[in-house]
Amino acid sequence: VNYSDVYTDAFHTMDIYQPTGDTHTKRPLLIYIHGGAFYAGDKGTPDCVDFCTHFAQKGYVAVSVNYRLANPLLFLANRSIQLDAVLKTMADVKSAMRYFTKDAATINQYKIDSNAVFLGGYSAGAVAALHTAWVTNTSELDKELISIMKSGIKTFEGDAGNNGYSYKIKGIFSFAGALFQTSYLNSGDI
């Protein structure tokens, strides 16, 4: 499924796993972000499929998302491209979360509880999840990141669409992820 109302490429797609025979109308949503160092990977890798299948069988709507990948050679050689890749991934993940909030407010096809959204991933996906959850406004970014953001995704909420819909993260999980700066952690954070 394409989650962006701006982009129609493979980077903005997701696989949705749902419980079968489930009659609940407010199911928790679990979004899993694949690894791959921000320049490789895909939502269909075995860890994504296994993880999402497992949680769908437990009653979650589990989602494995793709996101924009950087050029590997440029990524490995340039710090600005590395930071831009993380910001773009955050923008894509926010758009995917807003997709489900939009669905819950309109056709409610997926029957998710928009107050029970869990976000996480493996490696680069875990890095993206932590930053999406803990970097909550532009004031937390330094001048370099603000400059990269303004020349790339333009705004803190990103350029991948589903604007006008919010998202609320109930919990996060990280498999081999880290934060760029520990100052992003604040008292009372998720």
Side-chain angles (χ1 to χ4, degrees):
V1 173
N2 181 289
Y3 61 80
S4 174
D5 58 8
V6 175
Y7 298 107
T8 57
D9 54 37
F11 292 131
H12 295 89
T13 59
M14 61 186 163
D15 292 337
I16 302 171
Y17 300 72
Q18 298 182 72
T20 55
D22 181 0
T23 59
H24 290 288
T25 57
K26 287 201 170 245
R27 299 182 284 187
L29 173 65
L30 192 151
I31 298 177
Y32 186 85
I33 311 164
H34 69 78
F38 296 102
Y39 59 79
D42 181 78
K43 62 183 173 44
T45 56
D47 65 309
C48 299
V49 173
D50 292 346
F51 188 89
C52 290
T53 299
H54 176 79
F55 278 94
Q57 291 170 342
K58 294 193 174 294
Y60 288 80
V61 174
V63 177
S64 178
V65 298
N66 273 350
Y67 52 88
R68 285 173 273 191
L69 299 175
N71 175 296
L73 296 176
L74 297 176
F75 181 89
L76 294 170
N78 188 305
R79 174 184 157 94
S80 292
I81 290 174
Q82 295 166 2
L83 296 173
D84 181 59
V86 175
L87 289 169
K88 285 179 179 171
T89 302
M90 290 169 61
D92 293 344
V93 169
K94 290 175 185 179
S95 177
M97 287 189 292
R98 289 191 300 259
Y99 173 91
F100 286 99
T101 305
K102 179 180 175 180
D103 174 76
T106 55
I107 61 174
N108 201 22
Q109 175 181 358
Y110 301 105
K111 296 177 179 56
I112 64 116
D113 179 352
S114 55
N115 291 309
V117 177
F118 299 88
L119 180 65
Y122 171 72
S123 190
V127 170
L130 295 174
H131 285 83
T132 301
W134 287 337
V135 182
T136 56
N137 60 61
T138 308
S139 66
E140 292 183 276
L141 304 178
D142 61 26
K143 288 181 182 181
E144 178 186 20
L145 280 168
I146 290 172
S147 175
I148 292 167
M149 178 188 70
K150 287 183 177 179
S151 66
I153 61 172
K154 308 296 182 217
T155 71
F156 186 72
E157 289 304 315
D159 61 349
N162 298 313
N163 297 331
Y165 291 92
S166 62
Y167 57 88
K168 181 180 179 187
I169 303 169
K170 175 97 174 165
I172 56 174
F173 59 93
S174 168
F175 300 124
L179 278 174
F180 180 57
Q181 296 179 25
T182 57
S183 63
Y184 294 150
L185 288 170
N186 296 300
S187 177
D189 277 349
I190 300 159

